[in-house]
Amino acid sequence: MMFPGGGTSRGASAARGLCTPTPTPPPCPPHQQKAGRGGGLALRPFSLSCSRRGIVVRAMARLMPKLVVFDLDACLWDPEVYQLHAPPCTPVRGDLGGAGEGVVGAATACGRQTVKLHPGALLALQELRGRGDVKVAAASTSLNPAYSYQCLDLLEVVPGVSVRSCFHYHQIGREGRLTSRKTGHFELLQKESGIAYRDMLFFDDCGWDDHVGDIRQTFGVLGRATPDGLQVRDWRAALEMFHSERSKAKV
């Protein structure tokens, strides 16, 4: 990273003795330092920037949701499972967004239909995988939960790691307390996870109804509609929105 004023103009070196010396920047805090090879201290890269004028620029920590909730059909993947003429039972291999070769599709036996993750869904799950501070849940009104679970089991996030393994909670279907409205899905997810609604982030294609608007009005959960399936821009914009909205609430 380059900072303004970092260069040296002609004649500056000749007049160096007449110039006021640049103040020494203050040392970086201990928590931003690590041990060097010789036992000394070395700065952690990109964590802190100190200018020649001694101005310390700190990056504000992004506020992250504690639970990210995904709809499945037409949001996480396409086609929707109700459109399948047979179970999605055949793995289709390919490139997992630069993470290596793995299962990118779940095809029906005849091979005419293949369920695939949207690019933003793959990226989101890759970034959330292994994070101890963020849980992942599914809230789907799937008409065929068995097919949905087959897709979760077959599709991979990185080679050898299934999509299902990235999820901590599943509320899939329209039976019992689960209806087409999804309020029941969220009540069960909140009870199961113990996470407050204000700490959740929700993605839904909203093709049949405005689930994102309904869940926000009912529980205060922030969300983003993904009418084209979960794209990278949706994932990035939603995280920025969550950070912005929750930062305002803390002021």
Side-chain angles (χ1 to χ4, degrees), residues 34-145:
K34 64 178 181 180
R37 289 184 179 179
L41 293 176
L43 296 182
R44 294 185 184 277
F46 307 113
S47 60
L48 188 66
S49 299
C50 304
S51 72
R52 289 188 176 185
R53 296 179 182 178
I55 300 174
V56 179
V57 181
R58 299 176 186 272
M60 182 182 293
R62 180 186 294 277
L63 292 176
M64 289 289 290
K66 294 180 181 178
L67 181 66
V68 178
V69 184
F70 295 104
D71 175 33
L72 299 180
D73 289 336
C75 177
L76 206 70
W77 60 51
D78 264 305
E80 301 184 51
V81 296
Y82 84 89
Q83 298 173 309
L84 302 180
H85 302 306
C89 57
T90 306
V92 178
R93 301 186 65 81
D95 178 59
L96 290 167
E101 182 179 302
V103 180
V104 299
T108 57
C110 63
R112 294 180 180 178
Q113 295 171 295
T114 302
V115 177
K116 292 185 177 181
L117 293 175
H118 287 287
L122 176 61
L123 176 66
L125 293 174
Q126 288 175 339
E127 292 187 352
L128 292 173
R129 174 178 169 264
R131 283 193 66 133
D133 58 337
V134 182
K135 304 296 184 183
V136 180
S140 169
T141 58
S142 173
L143 293 171
N144 195 330

Side-chain angles (χ1 to χ4, degrees), residues 121-184:
L122 176 61
L123 176 66
L125 293 174
Q126 288 175 339
E127 292 187 352
L128 292 173
R129 174 178 169 264
R131 283 193 66 133
D133 58 337
V134 182
K135 304 296 184 183
V136 180
S140 169
T141 58
S142 173
L143 293 171
N144 195 330
Y147 282 15
S148 299
Y149 281 111
Q150 282 182 278
C151 290
L152 289 171
D153 287 332
L154 275 177
L155 296 170
E156 293 183 340
V157 176
V158 296
V161 178
S162 70
V163 169
R164 185 169 182 172
S165 70
C166 297
F167 282 75
H168 300 84
Y169 312 103
H170 315 84
Q171 293 299 335
I172 302 174
R174 301 189 185 190
E175 296 183 354
R177 293 183 61 184
L178 304 182
T179 68
S180 61
R181 193 181 165 198
K182 292 200 175 179
T183 51

Side-chain angles (χ1 to χ4, degrees), residues 74-75 78 118 205 225-231 233-234:
C75 177
D78 264 305
H118 287 287
D205 66 286
T226 59
D228 301 318
L230 181 51
Q231 303 301 315
R233 65 179 180 274
D234 297 314

